[in-house]
Amino acid sequence: MKRQRIMAVFLAATIACTPALAFAQPQDTALADPIVRTADDQASDADVELQATYTTLNIPGTELYSEAFNVVDIVNQERAKLGRAPLTMDRDLMEAAMQRAAECVVSFSHTRPNGTTCFTISSKAMGENIAAGSVTAAATMEQWMNSDGHRENLLRSNWSSIGVGAFRAQNGSTYWVQLFGPGSAAAASEPADTDAVHAVDVYTGHIDPGLTVSIPGAGSSATSAILPRGFRSQIVLRGVNADASWAAGYTIASDSFAWTSSDTDVVSVDADGNLSALAPGQATITGVSGGLQIDIYITVSDESPFSDVDENQWYAQAVDFVASNGLLTGYSNSDRFGIGDVMTRAQLVTVLHRIAEPDQADATENNQTGMPDVENGAWYTAAANWAVDAGVISGIEQADGSVSFGPNLSITREQLAIIIARYVGADLAAVDTSKFEALPDHGSTSSWATNEMAWAVDTGLINGSQNSDGTRSLSPQGAVTREQAAMILMNAYSSEILP
Protein backbone atom coordinates (compact mmCIF):
# COMPACT_ATOMS: atom_id res chain seq x y z
CA MET A 1 0.00 0.00 0.00
CA LYS A 2 1.40 3.38 -1.00
CA ARG A 3 0.99 5.95 1.73
CA GLN A 4 0.36 9.65 1.29
CA ARG A 5 3.47 11.31 2.75
CA ILE A 6 3.29 14.61 4.58
CA MET A 7 6.46 16.63 5.11
CA ALA A 8 6.08 18.50 8.36
CA VAL A 9 6.36 22.29 8.27
CA PHE A 10 6.92 23.83 11.69
CA LEU A 11 6.01 27.14 13.25
CA ALA A 12 7.36 28.13 16.64
CA ALA A 13 4.64 28.35 19.27
CA THR A 14 4.44 31.29 21.64
CA ILE A 15 2.73 32.50 24.76
CA ALA A 16 3.22 36.14 23.89
CA CYS A 17 1.62 36.30 20.47
CA THR A 18 -1.14 34.49 18.64
CA PRO A 19 -0.71 30.71 18.33
CA ALA A 20 1.27 29.41 15.40
CA LEU A 21 -1.55 27.44 13.85
CA ALA A 22 -4.85 29.29 13.67
CA PHE A 23 -7.95 28.69 11.62
CA ALA A 24 -10.96 30.77 10.72
CA GLN A 25 -13.82 30.22 13.11
CA PRO A 26 -17.22 29.06 11.80
CA GLN A 27 -19.85 31.54 10.88
CA ASP A 28 -22.75 31.91 13.31
CA THR A 29 -24.95 29.90 10.99
CA ALA A 30 -23.69 26.88 9.10
CA LEU A 31 -26.17 24.32 7.78
CA ALA A 32 -26.02 21.49 5.28
CA ASP A 33 -29.18 20.56 3.40
CA PRO A 34 -31.32 18.00 5.29
CA ILE A 35 -31.36 14.44 4.04
CA VAL A 36 -33.84 11.54 4.16
CA ARG A 37 -32.81 7.97 3.39
CA THR A 38 -33.55 6.58 -0.07
CA ALA A 39 -32.83 3.34 -1.89
CA ASP A 40 -30.06 5.14 -3.79
CA ASP A 41 -28.29 5.93 -0.53
CA GLN A 42 -28.22 2.25 0.39
CA ALA A 43 -26.94 1.21 -3.02
CA SER A 44 -24.10 3.75 -3.09
CA ASP A 45 -22.71 2.60 0.26
CA ALA A 46 -21.82 -0.81 -1.13
CA ASP A 47 -19.69 0.74 -3.87
CA VAL A 48 -17.16 2.45 -1.56
CA GLU A 49 -13.74 0.77 -1.26
CA LEU A 50 -11.60 1.80 1.69
CA GLN A 51 -8.35 -0.05 1.03
CA ALA A 52 -6.23 2.54 -0.75
CA THR A 53 -5.69 5.53 1.55
CA TYR A 54 -7.56 4.73 4.71
CA THR A 55 -6.75 6.05 8.16
CA THR A 56 -8.32 6.66 11.57
CA LEU A 57 -8.03 10.07 13.24
CA ASN A 58 -8.78 10.38 16.95
CA ILE A 59 -10.72 13.60 17.50
CA PRO A 60 -10.81 14.95 21.09
CA GLY A 61 -13.63 17.15 22.35
CA THR A 62 -16.57 17.35 24.74
CA GLU A 63 -19.86 15.48 24.41
CA LEU A 64 -22.57 17.97 25.38
CA TYR A 65 -25.40 15.65 26.38
CA SER A 66 -27.15 18.40 28.34
CA GLU A 67 -27.48 20.47 25.17
CA ALA A 68 -28.48 17.39 23.15
CA PHE A 69 -31.43 16.78 25.47
CA ASN A 70 -32.29 20.48 25.31
CA VAL A 71 -32.59 20.06 21.54
CA VAL A 72 -35.09 17.23 22.01
CA ASP A 73 -37.16 19.36 24.39
CA ILE A 74 -37.36 22.20 21.84
CA VAL A 75 -38.12 19.78 18.99
CA ASN A 76 -41.06 18.38 20.93
CA GLN A 77 -42.31 21.87 21.77
CA GLU A 78 -42.36 22.69 18.07
CA ARG A 79 -44.04 19.38 17.19
CA ALA A 80 -46.71 19.96 19.86
CA LYS A 81 -47.69 23.23 18.17
CA LEU A 82 -48.75 21.16 15.13
CA GLY A 83 -50.32 18.34 17.14
CA ARG A 84 -47.45 15.97 16.22
CA ALA A 85 -46.44 13.19 18.62
CA PRO A 86 -43.28 13.85 20.66
CA LEU A 87 -40.03 12.12 19.76
CA THR A 88 -38.15 9.95 22.23
CA MET A 89 -34.37 10.16 22.56
CA ASP A 90 -33.27 6.70 21.45
CA ARG A 91 -30.13 5.37 23.13
CA ASP A 92 -28.60 3.93 19.94
CA LEU A 93 -29.46 6.94 17.80
CA MET A 94 -28.10 9.30 20.46
CA GLU A 95 -24.68 7.61 20.48
CA ALA A 96 -24.71 7.38 16.69
CA ALA A 97 -25.52 11.11 16.46
CA MET A 98 -22.68 11.94 18.86
CA GLN A 99 -20.29 9.96 16.64
CA ARG A 100 -21.67 11.74 13.58
CA ALA A 101 -21.13 15.12 15.29
CA ALA A 102 -17.47 14.20 15.82
CA GLU A 103 -17.25 13.12 12.16
CA CYS A 104 -18.64 16.52 11.13
CA VAL A 105 -15.59 18.07 12.78
CA VAL A 106 -13.56 16.40 10.02
CA SER A 107 -16.09 16.72 7.18
CA PHE A 108 -19.24 18.85 7.52
CA SER A 109 -21.32 16.74 5.21
CA HIS A 110 -24.01 14.05 5.10
CA THR A 111 -21.33 11.87 3.52
CA ARG A 112 -19.19 10.38 6.26
CA PRO A 113 -15.41 10.90 6.16
CA ASN A 114 -15.05 7.24 5.16
CA GLY A 115 -17.01 7.92 1.96
CA THR A 116 -20.29 6.26 2.92
CA THR A 117 -23.62 7.98 3.49
CA CYS A 118 -24.61 9.15 6.96
CA PHE A 119 -27.15 6.31 7.26
CA THR A 120 -24.44 3.68 7.64
CA ILE A 121 -23.96 4.98 11.20
CA SER A 122 -27.14 3.15 12.34
CA SER A 123 -29.81 0.95 10.78
CA LYS A 124 -32.35 3.01 12.76
CA ALA A 125 -31.36 6.30 11.08
CA MET A 126 -33.71 7.43 8.30
CA GLY A 127 -33.18 11.20 8.34
CA GLU A 128 -30.43 13.62 9.35
CA ASN A 129 -30.00 17.35 10.06
CA ILE A 130 -26.56 18.83 10.76
CA ALA A 131 -25.41 22.26 11.90
CA ALA A 132 -22.29 23.98 13.19
CA GLY A 133 -21.17 27.23 14.75
CA SER A 134 -23.82 28.01 17.36
CA VAL A 135 -22.96 27.16 20.95
CA THR A 136 -26.41 26.47 22.45
CA ALA A 137 -29.33 24.18 21.69
CA ALA A 138 -31.69 27.16 21.42
CA ALA A 139 -29.52 28.93 18.82
CA THR A 140 -29.04 25.76 16.80
CA MET A 141 -32.76 24.98 16.84
CA GLU A 142 -33.41 28.52 15.64
CA GLN A 143 -31.10 27.81 12.70
CA TRP A 144 -32.97 24.62 11.83
CA MET A 145 -36.43 26.11 12.31
CA ASN A 146 -35.55 29.03 10.04
CA SER A 147 -34.64 26.59 7.25
CA ASP A 148 -37.62 25.11 5.37
CA GLY A 149 -35.99 21.75 4.71
CA HIS A 150 -34.62 21.24 8.20
CA ARG A 151 -37.88 22.31 9.81
CA GLU A 152 -39.84 19.90 7.62
CA ASN A 153 -37.43 17.10 8.50
CA LEU A 154 -37.74 17.46 12.28
CA LEU A 155 -41.53 17.93 12.15
CA ARG A 156 -42.28 14.85 9.99
CA SER A 157 -45.24 12.94 11.35
CA ASN A 158 -43.72 9.50 10.61
CA TRP A 159 -40.77 9.99 13.01
CA SER A 160 -41.08 8.53 16.49
CA SER A 161 -37.48 8.44 17.69
CA ILE A 162 -34.55 10.84 17.61
CA GLY A 163 -30.87 10.90 18.44
CA VAL A 164 -29.03 14.18 18.99
CA GLY A 165 -25.28 14.72 19.07
CA ALA A 166 -23.59 17.91 20.26
CA PHE A 167 -19.81 17.73 20.15
CA ARG A 168 -17.51 20.67 20.97
CA ALA A 169 -14.14 20.19 19.30
CA GLN A 170 -10.94 21.46 20.90
CA ASN A 171 -10.85 24.41 18.52
CA GLY A 172 -14.01 25.65 20.28
CA SER A 173 -16.49 24.94 17.45
CA THR A 174 -19.62 22.92 18.28
CA TYR A 175 -21.13 20.47 15.80
CA TRP A 176 -24.75 19.33 15.97
CA VAL A 177 -26.53 16.29 14.48
CA GLN A 178 -30.14 15.11 14.58
CA LEU A 179 -30.89 11.53 13.49
CA PHE A 180 -34.53 10.53 13.03
CA GLY A 181 -36.17 7.11 12.98
CA PRO A 182 -39.71 5.74 12.53
CA GLY A 183 -39.24 2.73 14.82
CA SER A 184 -39.90 2.31 18.53
CA ALA A 185 -37.27 3.92 20.72
CA ALA A 186 -35.12 2.48 23.50
CA ALA A 187 -35.37 5.53 25.75
CA ALA A 188 -32.00 7.02 26.72
CA SER A 189 -31.14 8.49 30.10
CA GLU A 190 -29.19 11.75 30.08
CA PRO A 191 -25.45 11.22 30.67
CA ALA A 192 -23.27 13.94 32.13
CA ASP A 193 -21.32 16.11 29.71
CA THR A 194 -17.94 14.45 29.28
CA ASP A 195 -14.60 14.87 27.55
CA ALA A 196 -14.18 12.15 24.94
CA VAL A 197 -12.08 11.08 21.97
CA HIS A 198 -13.92 9.79 18.90
CA ALA A 199 -12.18 7.57 16.37
CA VAL A 200 -13.12 8.89 12.92
CA ASP A 201 -12.43 6.66 9.93
CA VAL A 202 -11.22 8.67 6.95
CA TYR A 203 -10.93 7.58 3.34
CA THR A 204 -8.44 10.09 1.96
CA GLY A 205 -9.50 9.20 -1.56
CA HIS A 206 -12.75 10.92 -0.61
CA ILE A 207 -11.53 13.87 1.50
CA ASP A 208 -8.25 15.58 2.33
CA PRO A 209 -8.02 16.18 6.11
CA GLY A 210 -5.55 19.04 5.49
CA LEU A 211 -3.15 17.73 8.11
CA THR A 212 -0.56 20.13 9.54
CA VAL A 213 2.11 19.47 12.16
CA SER A 214 3.90 21.61 14.73
CA ILE A 215 6.10 21.18 17.77
CA PRO A 216 5.41 23.87 20.40
CA GLY A 217 8.60 25.61 21.45
CA ALA A 218 10.70 24.39 18.52
CA GLY A 219 12.86 26.61 16.35
CA SER A 220 12.04 25.91 12.73
CA SER A 221 12.71 26.19 9.05
CA ALA A 222 10.63 25.04 6.11
CA THR A 223 12.02 21.51 6.18
CA SER A 224 13.23 20.76 9.71
CA ALA A 225 12.78 21.42 13.41
CA ILE A 226 15.79 22.55 15.42
CA LEU A 227 15.63 21.43 19.04
CA PRO A 228 18.03 22.20 21.89
CA ARG A 229 19.31 19.21 23.80
CA GLY A 230 16.95 18.41 26.66
CA PHE A 231 13.91 19.71 24.74
CA ARG A 232 10.62 17.92 25.45
CA SER A 233 7.31 18.62 23.76
CA GLN A 234 4.35 16.85 22.19
CA ILE A 235 3.76 16.77 18.46
CA VAL A 236 0.63 18.79 17.68
CA LEU A 237 -1.58 17.69 14.80
CA ARG A 238 -4.40 19.69 13.28
CA GLY A 239 -6.70 19.31 10.33
CA VAL A 240 -9.06 21.55 8.35
CA ASN A 241 -12.70 20.63 7.78
CA ALA A 242 -12.98 19.21 4.29
CA ASP A 243 -16.49 20.47 3.51
CA ALA A 244 -16.76 23.86 5.19
CA SER A 245 -16.37 27.17 3.38
CA TRP A 246 -15.34 28.70 6.70
CA ALA A 247 -12.44 26.18 6.90
CA ALA A 248 -12.71 25.40 10.60
CA GLY A 249 -9.57 23.83 12.05
CA TYR A 250 -9.57 21.05 14.63
CA THR A 251 -7.15 19.17 16.85
CA ILE A 252 -6.19 15.56 16.14
CA ALA A 253 -4.91 13.45 19.03
CA SER A 254 -1.24 12.63 18.43
CA ASP A 255 -1.83 8.97 19.25
CA SER A 256 -3.73 8.66 15.96
CA PHE A 257 -0.31 7.86 14.48
CA ALA A 258 2.25 5.19 15.35
CA TRP A 259 5.51 7.07 15.94
CA THR A 260 9.10 5.90 15.44
CA SER A 261 12.52 7.60 15.48
CA SER A 262 15.30 6.84 13.04
CA ASP A 263 17.83 7.38 15.85
CA THR A 264 16.55 6.97 19.40
CA ASP A 265 19.90 8.11 20.80
CA VAL A 266 19.24 11.55 19.27
CA VAL A 267 15.47 11.92 19.63
CA SER A 268 13.01 9.56 21.28
CA VAL A 269 9.24 9.57 20.76
CA ASP A 270 6.50 7.73 22.66
CA ALA A 271 3.06 6.46 21.64
CA ASP A 272 1.44 9.82 22.46
CA GLY A 273 3.85 11.75 20.23
CA ASN A 274 5.98 13.15 23.07
CA LEU A 275 9.47 14.05 21.84
CA SER A 276 12.67 14.13 23.90
CA ALA A 277 15.84 15.59 22.36
CA LEU A 278 18.64 13.54 23.92
CA ALA A 279 21.90 14.30 22.10
CA PRO A 280 23.26 16.47 19.27
CA GLY A 281 22.62 14.99 15.85
CA GLN A 282 19.90 14.42 13.29
CA ALA A 283 16.94 12.08 13.21
CA THR A 284 13.65 11.60 11.40
CA ILE A 285 10.47 11.09 13.35
CA THR A 286 7.94 9.12 11.31
CA GLY A 287 4.24 8.78 12.07
CA VAL A 288 2.04 6.26 10.26
CA SER A 289 -1.74 5.97 10.35
CA GLY A 290 -3.18 3.76 7.64
CA GLY A 291 -2.57 5.53 4.34
CA LEU A 292 -0.97 8.64 5.86
CA GLN A 293 2.70 9.05 6.73
CA ILE A 294 4.32 12.06 8.41
CA ASP A 295 8.08 12.67 8.26
CA ILE A 296 9.53 15.17 10.73
CA TYR A 297 13.19 16.08 10.17
CA ILE A 298 14.88 17.08 13.41
CA THR A 299 18.26 18.54 14.27
CA VAL A 300 19.30 18.53 17.93
CA SER A 301 21.76 21.28 18.85
CA ASP A 302 23.74 22.13 21.98
CA GLU A 303 23.35 25.84 21.25
CA SER A 304 20.49 28.06 22.41
CA PRO A 305 17.93 28.60 19.65
CA PHE A 306 17.46 32.22 20.81
CA SER A 307 19.55 35.04 19.35
CA ASP A 308 19.11 37.27 22.42
CA VAL A 309 20.36 34.69 24.93
CA ASP A 310 23.95 35.13 26.14
CA GLU A 311 25.13 31.68 27.22
CA ASN A 312 27.51 33.30 29.74
CA GLN A 313 24.75 35.09 31.66
CA TRP A 314 23.09 33.92 34.90
CA TYR A 315 19.81 33.19 33.14
CA ALA A 316 21.13 30.95 30.33
CA GLN A 317 20.55 27.62 32.06
CA ALA A 318 17.07 28.66 33.20
CA VAL A 319 16.06 29.76 29.69
CA ASP A 320 17.27 26.44 28.29
CA PHE A 321 15.28 24.63 30.98
CA VAL A 322 11.94 26.34 30.40
CA ALA A 323 12.28 26.26 26.60
CA SER A 324 13.33 22.59 26.59
CA ASN A 325 10.29 21.68 28.68
CA GLY A 326 7.88 23.74 26.59
CA LEU A 327 6.98 26.00 29.53
CA LEU A 328 8.10 29.39 28.25
CA THR A 329 9.14 29.61 24.62
CA GLY A 330 10.27 32.30 22.23
CA TYR A 331 8.13 34.69 20.25
CA SER A 332 6.27 33.46 17.19
CA ASN A 333 8.04 34.09 13.87
CA SER A 334 11.11 35.24 15.76
CA ASP A 335 14.33 33.79 17.15
CA ARG A 336 14.07 35.92 20.34
CA PHE A 337 13.26 34.61 23.80
CA GLY A 338 12.51 38.12 25.01
CA ILE A 339 15.39 38.84 27.39
CA GLY A 340 14.56 41.99 29.36
CA ASP A 341 10.87 41.94 28.38
CA VAL A 342 8.38 41.90 31.23
CA MET A 343 6.27 38.84 31.99
CA THR A 344 2.55 39.55 31.63
CA ARG A 345 -0.33 38.10 33.60
CA ALA A 346 -1.60 36.31 30.49
CA GLN A 347 1.81 34.76 29.88
CA LEU A 348 2.14 33.50 33.46
CA VAL A 349 -1.26 31.79 33.59
CA THR A 350 -0.52 30.22 30.20
CA VAL A 351 2.67 28.71 31.61
CA LEU A 352 0.82 27.29 34.61
CA HIS A 353 -1.99 26.03 32.38
CA ARG A 354 0.58 24.16 30.28
CA ILE A 355 1.80 22.48 33.45
CA ALA A 356 -1.67 21.70 34.81
CA GLU A 357 -3.39 20.61 31.59
CA PRO A 358 -0.80 19.99 28.86
CA ASP A 359 -3.41 18.51 26.50
CA GLN A 360 -5.64 21.59 26.74
CA ALA A 361 -3.07 24.37 26.85
CA ASP A 362 -3.41 25.37 23.20
CA ALA A 363 -7.20 25.18 23.06
CA THR A 364 -9.07 28.20 21.73
CA GLU A 365 -12.10 29.14 23.84
CA ASN A 366 -14.55 31.94 24.50
CA ASN A 367 -14.15 34.08 27.62
CA GLN A 368 -15.78 32.38 30.62
CA THR A 369 -13.99 34.35 33.35
CA GLY A 370 -16.68 36.98 33.85
CA MET A 371 -13.97 39.60 33.31
CA PRO A 372 -14.66 41.81 30.27
CA ASP A 373 -11.04 42.43 29.26
CA VAL A 374 -10.38 38.75 28.37
CA GLU A 375 -10.72 38.33 24.60
CA ASN A 376 -12.67 35.51 23.00
CA GLY A 377 -10.48 33.06 21.11
CA ALA A 378 -7.18 34.68 22.09
CA TRP A 379 -3.99 32.65 22.65
CA TYR A 380 -4.41 33.00 26.44
CA THR A 381 -8.22 32.63 26.75
CA ALA A 382 -8.24 28.94 27.70
CA ALA A 383 -5.55 29.60 30.31
CA ALA A 384 -7.46 32.57 31.74
CA ASN A 385 -10.63 30.48 32.01
CA TRP A 386 -8.70 27.73 33.78
CA ALA A 387 -6.89 30.13 36.15
CA VAL A 388 -10.08 31.86 37.29
CA ASP A 389 -12.02 28.60 37.62
CA ALA A 390 -9.18 27.01 39.64
CA GLY A 391 -8.86 30.05 41.91
CA VAL A 392 -5.28 30.65 40.78
CA ILE A 393 -6.03 34.26 39.87
CA SER A 394 -8.83 36.44 41.19
CA GLY A 395 -8.53 39.54 39.05
CA ILE A 396 -7.98 43.21 39.81
CA GLU A 397 -10.74 45.24 41.44
CA GLN A 398 -11.43 48.54 39.69
CA ALA A 399 -12.62 51.83 41.21
CA ASP A 400 -16.18 51.18 40.02
CA GLY A 401 -16.26 47.77 41.75
CA SER A 402 -15.79 45.72 38.59
CA VAL A 403 -13.03 43.12 38.29
CA SER A 404 -10.61 42.90 35.37
CA PHE A 405 -8.05 40.26 34.42
CA GLY A 406 -5.36 42.63 33.12
CA PRO A 407 -3.89 40.18 30.59
CA ASN A 408 -1.26 42.60 29.30
CA LEU A 409 -0.23 44.00 32.69
CA SER A 410 3.19 43.00 33.97
CA ILE A 411 3.48 40.55 36.87
CA THR A 412 5.27 41.79 39.99
CA ARG A 413 7.36 39.48 42.14
CA GLU A 414 4.80 39.49 44.96
CA GLN A 415 1.93 38.81 42.55
CA LEU A 416 3.85 35.91 41.06
CA ALA A 417 4.46 34.47 44.55
CA ILE A 418 0.73 34.65 45.33
CA ILE A 419 -0.32 33.00 42.07
CA ILE A 420 2.14 30.11 42.36
CA ALA A 421 1.30 29.64 46.05
CA ARG A 422 -2.37 29.33 45.14
CA TYR A 423 -1.60 26.97 42.30
CA VAL A 424 0.37 24.52 44.46
CA GLY A 425 -1.78 24.96 47.59
CA ALA A 426 1.18 26.17 49.66
CA ASP A 427 1.13 25.62 53.44
CA LEU A 428 1.76 29.21 54.51
CA ALA A 429 1.40 28.43 58.21
CA ALA A 430 4.57 26.30 58.20
CA VAL A 431 6.84 28.97 56.67
CA ASP A 432 10.17 29.90 58.27
CA THR A 433 10.27 33.69 57.79
CA SER A 434 13.91 34.22 58.77
CA LYS A 435 15.31 34.32 55.22
CA PHE A 436 12.56 36.69 54.12
CA GLU A 437 13.14 39.04 57.06
CA ALA A 438 16.92 39.05 56.41
CA LEU A 439 16.38 40.82 53.09
CA PRO A 440 16.68 44.56 53.75
CA ASP A 441 13.65 45.64 51.72
CA HIS A 442 11.25 42.89 52.84
CA GLY A 443 9.19 45.53 54.63
CA SER A 444 8.15 47.03 51.31
CA THR A 445 6.10 43.91 50.55
CA SER A 446 2.37 44.62 50.39
CA SER A 447 0.52 43.41 53.49
CA TRP A 448 -1.67 41.13 51.38
CA ALA A 449 1.39 39.40 49.90
CA THR A 450 3.67 39.04 52.95
CA ASN A 451 2.85 35.39 53.72
CA GLU A 452 3.27 34.26 50.12
CA MET A 453 6.54 36.19 49.64
CA ALA A 454 7.93 34.71 52.87
CA TRP A 455 6.96 31.26 51.55
CA ALA A 456 8.59 31.94 48.16
CA VAL A 457 11.86 32.99 49.82
CA ASP A 458 11.81 30.12 52.32
CA THR A 459 11.36 27.51 49.58
CA GLY A 460 14.02 29.04 47.32
CA LEU A 461 11.50 30.04 44.68
CA ILE A 462 12.66 33.67 44.90
CA ASN A 463 16.18 34.47 46.11
CA GLY A 464 16.34 38.23 45.57
CA SER A 465 18.48 40.25 43.19
CA GLN A 466 22.22 40.76 43.59
CA ASN A 467 23.22 44.39 44.23
CA SER A 468 26.56 45.92 43.26
CA ASP A 469 27.67 46.00 46.93
CA GLY A 470 27.06 42.26 47.36
CA THR A 471 23.74 42.57 49.20
CA ARG A 472 20.48 41.15 47.89
CA SER A 473 17.17 42.93 47.40
CA LEU A 474 13.72 41.37 47.28
CA SER A 475 12.10 44.12 45.15
CA PRO A 476 8.63 42.70 45.84
CA GLN A 477 6.82 45.21 43.64
CA GLY A 478 9.29 45.08 40.77
CA ALA A 479 8.14 43.68 37.44
CA VAL A 480 9.30 40.16 36.61
CA THR A 481 11.18 39.83 33.33
CA ARG A 482 10.91 36.74 31.18
CA GLU A 483 14.39 35.52 32.11
CA GLN A 484 13.62 36.06 35.80
CA ALA A 485 10.41 34.07 35.34
CA ALA A 486 12.50 31.32 33.73
CA MET A 487 14.78 31.23 36.79
CA ILE A 488 11.82 31.15 39.20
CA LEU A 489 10.21 28.29 37.28
CA MET A 490 13.47 26.32 37.25
CA ASN A 491 13.81 26.93 41.00
CA ALA A 492 10.25 25.66 41.47
CA TYR A 493 11.06 22.40 39.70
CA SER A 494 14.43 22.03 41.44
CA SER A 495 12.72 22.45 44.84
CA GLU A 496 9.89 20.11 43.74
CA ILE A 497 7.35 22.87 44.29
CA LEU A 498 6.15 22.12 40.77
CA PRO A 499 5.93 18.52 39.52
Side-chain angles (χ1 to χ4, degrees), residues 243-447:
D243 292 279
S245 60
W246 24 265
Y250 58 90
T251 299
I252 301 167
S254 298
D255 64 3
S256 301
F257 285 72
W259 300 99
T260 58
S261 171
S262 65
D263 191 336
T264 56
D265 290 333
V266 174
V267 183
S268 66
V269 61
D270 67 14
D272 293 323
N274 293 303
L275 296 175
S276 295
L278 304 176
Q282 294 182 325
T284 301
I285 300 298
T286 298
V288 174
S289 178
L292 295 180
Q293 178 171 322
I294 297 170
D295 292 319
I296 305 173
Y297 307 105
I298 292 177
T299 298
V300 178
S301 172
D302 261 341
E303 298 179 358
S304 171
F306 305 114
S307 62
D308 58 343
V309 170
D310 184 341
E311 293 286 354
N312 297 315
Q313 290 295 319
W314 57 270
Y315 57 73
Q317 182 182 3
V319 169
D320 287 344
F321 175 84
V322 296
S324 297
N325 287 281
L327 301 176
L328 182 57
T329 59
Y331 294 129
S332 182
N333 301 320
S334 169
D335 61 358
R336 292 184 62 245
F337 179 80
I339 298 299
D341 295 349
V342 296
M343 187 80 169
T344 68
R345 292 164 63 85
Q347 290 172 359
L348 178 60
V349 296
T350 301
V351 170
L352 295 179
H353 190 213
R354 285 176 173 169
I355 298 169
E357 298 181 352
D359 294 337
Q360 300 293 324
D362 295 321
T364 302
E365 297 183 6
N366 290 327
N367 177 20
Q368 300 171 14
T369 65
M371 302 178 191
D373 58 340
V374 174
E375 298 177 61
N376 289 327
W379 56 268
Y380 64 86
T381 309
N385 290 339
W386 163 82
V388 172
D389 183 62
V392 171
I393 201 166
S394 54
I396 304 167
E397 186 171 353
Q398 304 299 309
D400 61 1
S402 64
V403 177
S404 64
F405 191 90
N408 298 317
L409 296 179
S410 60
I411 280 282
T412 66
R413 294 161 73 84
E414 62 185 13
Q415 290 171 346
L416 183 145
I418 289 174
I419 291 171
I420 295 183
R422 287 175 179 171
Y423 173 67
V424 301
D427 183 3
L428 302 180
V431 172
D432 179 352
T433 62
S434 59
K435 293 180 182 178
F436 170 71
E437 293 168 352
L439 293 167
D441 60 343
H442 75 275
S444 61
T445 303
S446 300
S447 59

Side-chain angles (χ1 to χ4, degrees), residues 140-155:
T140 303
M141 278 298 300
E142 183 178 359
Q143 288 180 246
W144 279 325
M145 291 301 293
N146 287 334
S147 165
D148 292 342
H150 295 89
R151 183 176 62 253
E152 178 183 349
N153 214 9
L154 64 90
L155 294 176

Side-chain angles (χ1 to χ4, degrees), residues 99-120:
Q99 173 67 22
R100 282 287 299 127
E103 292 177 354
C104 284
V105 174
V106 178
S107 178
F108 186 65
S109 169
H110 293 297
T111 300
R112 302 177 67 187
N114 68 6
T116 66
T117 68
C118 59
F119 302 116
T120 61

